[in-house]
Amino acid sequence: DIQMTQSPSSLSASVGDRVTITCRASQSISSYLNWYQQKPGKAPKLLIYDGITLQSGVPSRFSGGGSGTDFTLTISSLQPEDFSTYYCQQSYGTPPTFGQGTQVEIK
Amino acid sequence: EVQVVESGGGLVQPGGSLRLSCAASGFTLNNYWIHWVRQAPGKGLMWVSHIIGDGTKTSYADSVKGRFTISRDNAKNTLYLQMNSLRAEDTAVYYCVKGGAYSTSPFDSWGQGTQVTVSS
């Protein structure tokens, strides 16, 4: 199975901060990397797919980068509604696997 | 509007069985890969199973292989997850998730989840 490792596991940031979350795959996954946002008690929501493509309706302050084994999710200016847990997921191989999550908290 | 709605969760004793249902609307199940993903209390996301668009292939996580079965009723546009020999570690919220037309497609629509609790 392809292992996905996110860093950091959690972070504290202020409204307006630029935030970057990293995801590393245990082998090359080309650009088949997706990012999800999950708020407490809610289902995850797709933010970015294929490494860099913003899902319809997702604010442009979210962006994705990377290919191969190293990927990033960047929030250019953190908003109050962005305080959530973020997961990366590879869709290159079966089983699809998720990172352990990054919890973004208010400083 | 694309929507998936899960049902069938509940409290079951270890060794028992449950069948989860996932009713789809706004799209036809047999055109897409459909997945079950679960989340144990306070934990991350774990893929459980999928069925491909034409229904010819299914896959399972190692931890559920031989105990869980995914199936589909095209006439009802409904997906199922039959869960047998349930264990305490199967306790989780189970999400039905719509994928795309390919194995590499992202998980673009999630249901609200249904809680499964395995306990005596």
Side-chain angles (χ1 to χ4, degrees), chain B residues 1-6 20-36 49-58 70-81 95-102 108-111:
Chain B
E1 179 191 4
V2 169
Q3 197 173 14
V4 290
V5 178
E6 306 94 337
L20 306 183
S21 299
C22 169
S25 58
F27 71 101
T28 302
L29 278 179
N30 61 6
N31 290 334
Y32 298 94
W33 290 56
I34 306 295
H35 308 262
W36 288 98
S49 177
H50 68 218
I51 184 166
I52 73 171
D54 64 11
T56 58
K57 184 177 178 182
T58 59
I70 191 171
S71 63
R72 196 171 68 192
D73 184 330
N74 291 336
K76 295 182 178 179
N77 211 32
T78 299
L79 184 80
Y80 303 100
L81 185 68
Y95 294 103
C96 175
V97 189
K98 173 185 167 292
Y102 309 102
D108 63 15
S109 294
W110 296 64

Side-chain angles (χ1 to χ4, degrees), chain B residues 59-72:
Chain B
S59 295
Y60 301 91
D62 286 346
S63 58
V64 308
K65 202 172 294 183
R67 300 187 298 122
F68 289 12
T69 303
I70 191 171
S71 63
R72 196 171 68 192

Side-chain angles (χ1 to χ4, degrees), chain B residues 34-51:
Chain B
I34 306 295
H35 308 262
W36 288 98
V37 174
R38 73 186 186 187
Q39 186 168 36
K43 302 296 185 182
L45 301 168
M46 190 195 100
W47 172 84
V48 173
S49 177
H50 68 218
I51 184 166

Side-chain angles (χ1 to χ4, degrees), chain A residues 11-54:
Chain A
L11 65 90
S12 295
S14 301
V15 172
D17 283 354
R18 181 182 181 89
V19 167
T20 297
I21 299 168
T22 297
C23 180
R24 175 165 288 176
S26 60
Q27 66 180 73
S28 177
I29 57 170
S30 185
S31 293
Y32 297 114
L33 189 284
N34 311 305
W35 291 98
Y36 302 87
Q37 176 192 58
Q38 186 178 33
K39 298 187 178 182
K42 300 295 186 182
K45 168 189 167 184
L46 176 65
L47 294 177
I48 289 170
Y49 61 95
D50 293 348
I52 62 171
T53 305
L54 210 61

